[in-house]
Short mmCIF file of all heavy atoms in Angstrom, two decimals:
data_model
loop_
_atom_site.label_atom_id
_atom_site.label_comp_id
_atom_site.label_asym_id
_atom_site.label_seq_id
_atom_site.Cartn_x
_atom_site.Cartn_y
_atom_site.Cartn_z
N ILE A 95 28.35 -26.83 -54.61
CA ILE A 95 27.45 -25.69 -54.31
C ILE A 95 26.37 -25.83 -55.44
O ILE A 95 26.75 -25.82 -56.64
CB ILE A 95 28.13 -24.33 -54.46
CG1 ILE A 95 29.31 -24.26 -53.51
CG2 ILE A 95 27.12 -23.20 -54.38
CD1 ILE A 95 29.02 -23.42 -52.30
N ASN A 111 23.98 -21.04 -50.18
CA ASN A 111 25.21 -20.81 -49.57
C ASN A 111 25.89 -19.53 -50.04
O ASN A 111 25.99 -19.31 -51.22
CB ASN A 111 26.14 -22.00 -49.82
CG ASN A 111 25.77 -23.20 -48.87
OD1 ASN A 111 25.93 -23.06 -47.66
ND2 ASN A 111 25.40 -24.25 -49.44
N GLY A 112 26.25 -18.67 -49.08
CA GLY A 112 26.98 -17.47 -49.47
C GLY A 112 26.09 -16.32 -50.01
O GLY A 112 26.54 -15.55 -50.80
N HIS A 116 30.42 -11.94 -47.71
CA HIS A 116 31.24 -12.68 -46.71
C HIS A 116 32.61 -12.94 -47.38
O HIS A 116 32.88 -12.77 -48.52
CB HIS A 116 30.64 -13.97 -46.31
CG HIS A 116 30.45 -14.98 -47.49
ND1 HIS A 116 29.60 -14.79 -48.52
CD2 HIS A 116 31.18 -16.05 -47.76
CE1 HIS A 116 29.68 -15.80 -49.35
NE2 HIS A 116 30.73 -16.59 -48.98
N ASP A 118 35.34 -16.31 -47.06
CA ASP A 118 35.12 -17.73 -46.69
C ASP A 118 35.92 -18.07 -45.40
O ASP A 118 37.09 -17.61 -45.26
CB ASP A 118 35.61 -18.64 -47.81
CG ASP A 118 34.51 -18.58 -48.96
OD1 ASP A 118 33.35 -18.24 -48.65
OD2 ASP A 118 34.93 -18.79 -50.13
N THR A 129 39.67 -19.50 -52.58
CA THR A 129 38.55 -20.35 -52.93
C THR A 129 38.60 -20.46 -54.47
O THR A 129 38.78 -19.46 -55.11
CB THR A 129 37.24 -19.83 -52.48
OG1 THR A 129 37.28 -19.62 -51.07
CG2 THR A 129 36.04 -20.77 -52.77
N LEU A 131 36.07 -21.87 -57.52
CA LEU A 131 34.74 -22.26 -57.88
C LEU A 131 34.73 -22.55 -59.42
O LEU A 131 35.14 -21.71 -60.14
CB LEU A 131 33.77 -21.17 -57.50
CG LEU A 131 32.36 -21.59 -57.17
CD1 LEU A 131 32.28 -22.60 -56.04
CD2 LEU A 131 31.49 -20.33 -56.78
N GLY A 141 22.48 -15.75 -61.31
CA GLY A 141 23.43 -16.63 -60.63
C GLY A 141 24.86 -16.02 -60.64
O GLY A 141 25.85 -16.73 -60.41
N ASP A 142 24.94 -14.76 -60.82
CA ASP A 142 26.32 -14.09 -60.83
C ASP A 142 26.88 -14.17 -59.40
O ASP A 142 26.15 -14.31 -58.44
CB ASP A 142 26.18 -12.60 -61.13
CG ASP A 142 25.55 -12.31 -62.44
OD1 ASP A 142 25.38 -13.19 -63.32
OD2 ASP A 142 25.22 -11.04 -62.73
N THR A 143 28.22 -14.06 -59.33
CA THR A 143 28.86 -13.88 -58.03
C THR A 143 29.48 -12.52 -58.01
O THR A 143 30.18 -12.06 -58.94
CB THR A 143 30.03 -14.93 -57.86
OG1 THR A 143 29.45 -16.25 -58.03
CG2 THR A 143 30.55 -14.92 -56.40
N TRP A 251 28.86 -15.83 -64.99
CA TRP A 251 29.46 -17.07 -65.26
C TRP A 251 29.24 -17.69 -66.64
O TRP A 251 28.15 -17.53 -67.20
CB TRP A 251 28.86 -18.16 -64.25
CG TRP A 251 29.38 -17.95 -62.91
CD1 TRP A 251 28.81 -17.23 -61.92
CD2 TRP A 251 30.56 -18.60 -62.30
NE1 TRP A 251 29.59 -17.24 -60.74
CE2 TRP A 251 30.61 -18.08 -60.98
CE3 TRP A 251 31.53 -19.45 -62.77
CZ2 TRP A 251 31.58 -18.45 -60.10
CZ3 TRP A 251 32.55 -19.83 -61.95
CH2 TRP A 251 32.59 -19.31 -60.58
N TRP A 259 39.44 -16.84 -56.10
CA TRP A 259 39.50 -15.50 -55.47
C TRP A 259 40.27 -15.62 -54.22
O TRP A 259 40.38 -16.73 -53.54
CB TRP A 259 38.06 -14.90 -55.20
CG TRP A 259 37.24 -15.65 -54.24
CD1 TRP A 259 37.20 -15.67 -52.91
CD2 TRP A 259 36.13 -16.52 -54.63
NE1 TRP A 259 36.17 -16.38 -52.43
CE2 TRP A 259 35.56 -16.99 -53.48
CE3 TRP A 259 35.60 -17.02 -55.88
CZ2 TRP A 259 34.44 -17.87 -53.41
CZ3 TRP A 259 34.57 -17.88 -55.80
CH2 TRP A 259 33.99 -18.27 -54.67
N HIS A 266 32.64 -11.61 -51.06
CA HIS A 266 31.84 -12.05 -52.20
C HIS A 266 30.49 -12.46 -51.74
O HIS A 266 30.24 -12.54 -50.50
CB HIS A 266 32.55 -13.18 -52.92
CG HIS A 266 32.71 -14.47 -52.08
ND1 HIS A 266 33.76 -14.60 -51.20
CD2 HIS A 266 32.02 -15.56 -52.04
CE1 HIS A 266 33.65 -15.75 -50.61
NE2 HIS A 266 32.61 -16.39 -51.09
N LYS A 267 29.59 -12.67 -52.71
CA LYS A 267 28.13 -12.92 -52.40
C LYS A 267 27.60 -13.68 -53.64
O LYS A 267 27.81 -13.33 -54.80
CB LYS A 267 27.56 -11.51 -52.31
CG LYS A 267 26.09 -11.40 -52.20
CD LYS A 267 25.75 -9.96 -52.20
CE LYS A 267 24.25 -9.72 -51.83
NZ LYS A 267 23.38 -10.35 -52.70
N ALA A 268 26.79 -14.66 -53.25
CA ALA A 268 26.06 -15.40 -54.37
C ALA A 268 24.73 -14.77 -54.63
O ALA A 268 24.16 -14.09 -53.76
CB ALA A 268 25.76 -16.91 -53.83
N ASN A 269 24.17 -14.97 -55.83
CA ASN A 269 22.91 -14.48 -56.18
C ASN A 269 22.03 -15.64 -56.68
O ASN A 269 22.38 -16.27 -57.69
CB ASN A 269 23.03 -13.45 -57.26
CG ASN A 269 23.56 -12.05 -56.71
OD1 ASN A 269 22.90 -11.35 -56.16
ND2 ASN A 269 24.86 -11.87 -56.89
N ARG A 278 22.02 -24.77 -61.33
CA ARG A 278 23.32 -24.17 -61.15
C ARG A 278 24.16 -25.15 -60.38
O ARG A 278 23.75 -25.55 -59.25
CB ARG A 278 23.24 -22.80 -60.46
CG ARG A 278 24.57 -22.09 -60.27
CD ARG A 278 24.26 -20.78 -59.55
NE ARG A 278 25.34 -19.75 -59.57
CZ ARG A 278 26.26 -19.62 -58.59
NH1 ARG A 278 26.19 -20.47 -57.60
NH2 ARG A 278 27.14 -18.68 -58.72
N MET A 280 28.11 -25.96 -59.11
CA MET A 280 29.49 -25.52 -59.04
C MET A 280 30.29 -26.54 -58.20
O MET A 280 29.80 -27.07 -57.23
CB MET A 280 29.60 -24.16 -58.31
CG MET A 280 28.55 -23.15 -58.59
SD MET A 280 28.47 -22.62 -60.33
CE MET A 280 29.57 -21.25 -60.33
N ARG A 282 33.82 -26.90 -55.91
CA ARG A 282 34.52 -25.90 -55.10
C ARG A 282 35.71 -26.56 -54.32
O ARG A 282 35.55 -27.60 -53.74
CB ARG A 282 33.53 -25.32 -54.10
CG ARG A 282 34.08 -24.26 -53.09
CD ARG A 282 32.96 -24.01 -52.14
NE ARG A 282 33.13 -22.79 -51.38
CZ ARG A 282 33.64 -22.81 -50.17
NH1 ARG A 282 33.92 -23.88 -49.61
NH2 ARG A 282 33.73 -21.59 -49.49
C1 LIG B 1 31.46 -19.99 -52.07
C2 LIG B 1 30.44 -18.99 -52.44
C3 LIG B 1 29.23 -18.05 -54.24
C4 LIG B 1 28.44 -18.47 -55.44
O1 LIG B 1 31.62 -20.95 -52.80
O2 LIG B 1 32.14 -19.71 -51.08
O3 LIG B 1 30.22 -18.03 -51.64
O4 LIG B 1 28.08 -17.58 -56.27
N1 LIG B 1 29.93 -19.09 -53.65
O5 LIG B 1 28.10 -19.64 -55.49
#
Side-chain angles (χ1 to χ4, degrees):
I95 301 260
N111 280 296
H116 66 285
D118 290 332
T129 303
L131 206 58
D142 301 348
T143 307
W251 287 89
W259 64 83
H266 61 280
K267 173 185 189 301
N269 287 280
R278 184 179 192 265
M280 320 299 267
R282 180 185 195 261

